[in-house]
């Protein structure tokens, strides 16, 4: 069985690294299975630093489709064209696509037009906001897929309600937890904690990526003021990239000169993993970070009105505050004071998701 694993952006590599290890393990057990890792982007993508693959203990992409920036429709068209060329010259039995990017949807469409088996990793995630481009991508990919790998009961229920054949749906767990569990013993304490003389559980982590938050500078300012008030003397460590860093630093210089918020460079995976897993709490707009916080039983405030994995709220450590500065301040105050809800680990978030997926693929070949 020749499997093509298609990834479209840096966060996808955290989800496919366990799959690659599971394929290697299945090969050693005598199974006829091979994988090729295909990246929709360009080979010189600055976000794909060497340390990422070293940290994840996986290999770089075997193939780069070479599609750079552009509008969503431009990216979709270019990926479709390049992926069709790839499949024409590379024997492939099954295509696994990850998450909900435009490139993911493009590859899914091409795979089905080529008559290949299509599997969607992290199926059934929904915002229920059809105005979001990613929501359209999710609906298209799930509708086309022959195998739907869901993280839990919530996602399973979604695809069932939408009419997916029960024989196509598998609750395999959250594959991010595979990567987290594998790397826990390898985490590296970041230098910033030594520089600031901070012990574990003495700081908050803040991450920011959503454009809707970054572009609304006045509301972001209000939220950061709320963070300053609630955190008081508790330091907030903020590893930020590009535009998010620029805007946050502008707000700090203009309005919050005495803030306990420390903006630092983005960290390698193993250092960031240590930072978040040993924090007193996390403030984030990232679903991945919120999911990892649930695994680590670290209190988490999500700056969004929805989550792709409802388990992080129902069972986990996650609380949604939207883009509301007042709700953020109240939640952060509770976090600092240790007044947080009890949490548990959702079913099958045990670090064995990739093994389940490969077993299913071998049984269905």
């Amino acid at each position: 069985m020749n499997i093509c694993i298609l990834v479209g952006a840096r966060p996808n590599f955290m989800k496919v690294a366990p799959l690659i290890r599971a394929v290697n393990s299945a090969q050693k057990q005598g199974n006829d299975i091979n994988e090729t890792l295909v990246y929709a982007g360009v080979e010189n993508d600055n976000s794909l630093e060497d340390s990422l693959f070293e940290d994840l203990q996986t290999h770089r992409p075997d193939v780069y489709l070479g599609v750079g920036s552009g509008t969503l429709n431009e990216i979709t068209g270019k990926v479709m064209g390049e992926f069709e060329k790839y499949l024409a010259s590379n024997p492939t039995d099954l295509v696994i696509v990850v998450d909900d990017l435009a490139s993911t949807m493009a590859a899914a469409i091409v795979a089905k037009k080529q008559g290949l088996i299509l599997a969607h990793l992290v199926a059934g995630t929904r915002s229920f906001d059809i105005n979001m481009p990613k929501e359209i991508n999710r609906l298209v990919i799930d509708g086309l897929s022959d195998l739907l790998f869901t993280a839990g009961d919530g996602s399973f229920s979604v695809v069932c309600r939408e009419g997916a054949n029960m024989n196509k749906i598998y609750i395999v767990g959250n594959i991010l937890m595979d990567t987290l569990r594998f790397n826990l013993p390898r985490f590296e304490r970041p230098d910033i904690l030594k520089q600031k003389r901070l012990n574990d559980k003495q700081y908050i982590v803040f991450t920011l990526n959503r454009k809707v938050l970054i572009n609304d500078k006045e509301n972001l300012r209000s939220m950061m003021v709320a963070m300053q008030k609630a955190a008081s003397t508790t330091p907030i460590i903020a590893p930020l990239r590009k535009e998010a860093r620029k805007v946050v630093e502008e707000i700090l210089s203009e309005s919050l000169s005495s803030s306990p918020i420390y903006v630092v460079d983005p960290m390698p995976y193993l250092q960031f993993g240590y930072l978040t897993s040993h924090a007193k709490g996390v403030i984030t707009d990232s679903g991945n970070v919120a999911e990892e916080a649930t695994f680590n039983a670290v209190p988490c405030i999500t700056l969004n009105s929805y989550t792709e994995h409802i388990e992080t709220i129902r069972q986990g450590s996650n609380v949604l505050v939207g883009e509301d500065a007042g709700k953020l301040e109240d939640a952060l105050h509770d976090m600092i004071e240790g007044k947080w809800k009890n949490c548990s680990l959702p079913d099958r978030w045990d670090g064995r998701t990739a093994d389940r997926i490969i077993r299913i693929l071998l049984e269905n070949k």
Side-chain angles (χ1 to χ4, degrees):
M1 174 186 286
N2 294 317
I3 298 173
C4 169
I5 303 174
L6 189 288
V7 296
R10 187 181 192 275
N12 295 160
F13 288 97
M14 285 71 163
K15 297 182 179 180
V16 302
L19 275 181
I20 293 170
R21 286 195 298 273
V23 168
N24 292 337
S25 177
Q27 286 176 336
K28 291 175 182 177
Q29 294 170 16
N31 292 289
D32 179 18
I33 185 169
N34 300 283
E35 58 82 18
T36 302
L37 183 59
V38 177
Y39 181 49
V42 296
E43 190 166 358
N44 62 351
D45 188 329
N46 291 331
S47 71
L48 304 187
E49 67 275 13
D50 289 338
S51 65
L52 173 65
F53 300 96
E54 293 167 5
D55 288 350
L56 295 175
Q57 296 282 281
T58 192
H59 63 79
R60 276 188 166 272
D62 301 294
V63 177
Y64 296 83
L65 298 184
V67 178
S69 59
T71 67
L72 294 179
N73 287 336
E74 287 172 343
I75 292 171
T76 301
K78 290 176 182 177
V79 170
M80 288 182 70
E82 293 303 317
F83 193 50
E84 184 176 28
K85 292 177 188 175
Y86 166 79
L87 291 176
S89 55
N90 292 273
T92 303
D93 301 306
L94 181 144
V95 175
I96 300 177
V97 294
V98 188
D99 286 338
D100 50 19
L101 302 173
S103 54
T104 312
M105 181 183 69
I109 293 170
V110 172
K112 288 309 296 178
K113 286 190 174 183
Q114 295 289 328
L116 301 176
I117 299 172
L118 176 67
H120 187 198
L121 181 57
V122 198
T125 58
R126 297 288 186 274
S127 67
F128 303 103
D129 180 0
I130 199 63
N131 294 314
M132 289 180 59
K134 284 187 177 181
E135 187 75 353
I136 297 171
N137 298 343
R138 294 163 182 160
L139 290 164
V140 171
I141 299 164
D142 281 351
L144 293 175
S145 294
D146 301 288
L147 299 170
L148 296 161
F149 296 129
T150 68
D153 291 336
S155 301
F156 178 85
S157 298
V158 165
V159 287
C160 283
R161 287 198 303 270
E162 292 174 357
N165 189 319
M166 292 282 286
N167 294 328
K168 296 167 56 176
I169 313 168
Y170 297 88
I171 302 177
V172 294
N174 191 329
I175 201 163
L176 264 185
M177 305 309 111
D178 290 36
T179 298
L180 195 57
R181 185 170 177 262
F182 176 79
N183 286 295
L184 277 174
R186 305 173 59 242
F187 282 164
E188 302 169 1
R189 201 168 197 270
D191 290 341
I192 184 65
L193 299 182
K194 183 178 180 180
Q195 293 169 10
K196 299 298 180 183
R197 298 180 179 179
L198 295 173
N199 294 324
D200 295 349
K201 305 298 181 183
Q202 287 188 340
Y203 60 89
I204 303 291
V205 178
F206 172 46
T207 77
L208 180 67
N209 292 289
R210 289 176 62 217
K211 289 184 179 179
V212 69
L213 287 169
I214 296 169
N215 293 340
D216 190 347
K217 187 175 176 180
E218 289 310 307
N219 190 55
L220 181 58
R221 188 194 312 276
S222 298
M223 298 179 85
M224 290 178 63
V225 168
M227 288 163 59
Q228 181 186 36
K229 285 181 183 177
S232 183
T233 58
T234 302
I236 298 175
I237 309 298
L240 302 178
R241 294 179 181 271
K242 299 179 181 177
E243 191 62 27
R245 178 170 188 158
K246 178 184 175 183
V247 173
V248 167
E249 287 183 331
E250 285 177 359
I251 293 171
L252 289 173
S253 64
E254 294 167 359
S255 313
L256 300 170
S257 57
S258 60
S259 172
I261 301 173
Y262 301 108
V263 178
V264 299
D265 291 334
M267 296 179 184
Y269 176 79
L270 294 181
Q271 292 185 24
F272 184 73
Y274 185 101
L275 187 76
T276 54
S277 62
H278 291 79
K280 186 175 184 68
V282 174
I283 303 168
T284 186
D285 58 3
S286 164
N288 288 358
V289 174
E291 292 159 37
E292 291 178 352
T294 282
F295 184 87
N296 292 320
V298 171
C300 179
I301 298 169
T302 295
L303 308 178
N304 208 334
S305 56
Y306 81 96
T307 174
E308 288 89 348
H309 294 295
I310 195 66
E311 294 91 345
T312 63
I313 298 172
R314 289 177 178 167
Q315 292 177 248
S317 61
N318 191 19
V319 169
L320 303 180
V321 300
E323 295 142 30
D324 188 309
K327 290 181 180 179
L328 170 59
E329 184 175 348
D330 291 342
L332 184 53
H333 182 268
D334 288 344
M335 180 185 285
I336 298 293
E337 294 296 318
K339 301 175 183 177
W340 210 253
K341 60 179 179 175
N342 294 324
C343 66
S344 60
L345 197 61
D347 183 39
R348 302 191 192 186
W349 289 33
D350 55 6
R352 297 179 176 84
T353 293
D355 292 335
R356 294 186 187 102
I357 290 172
I358 297 305
R359 186 169 63 248
I360 291 165
L361 296 184
L362 290 171
E363 290 171 354
N364 282 273
K365 72 176 183 179

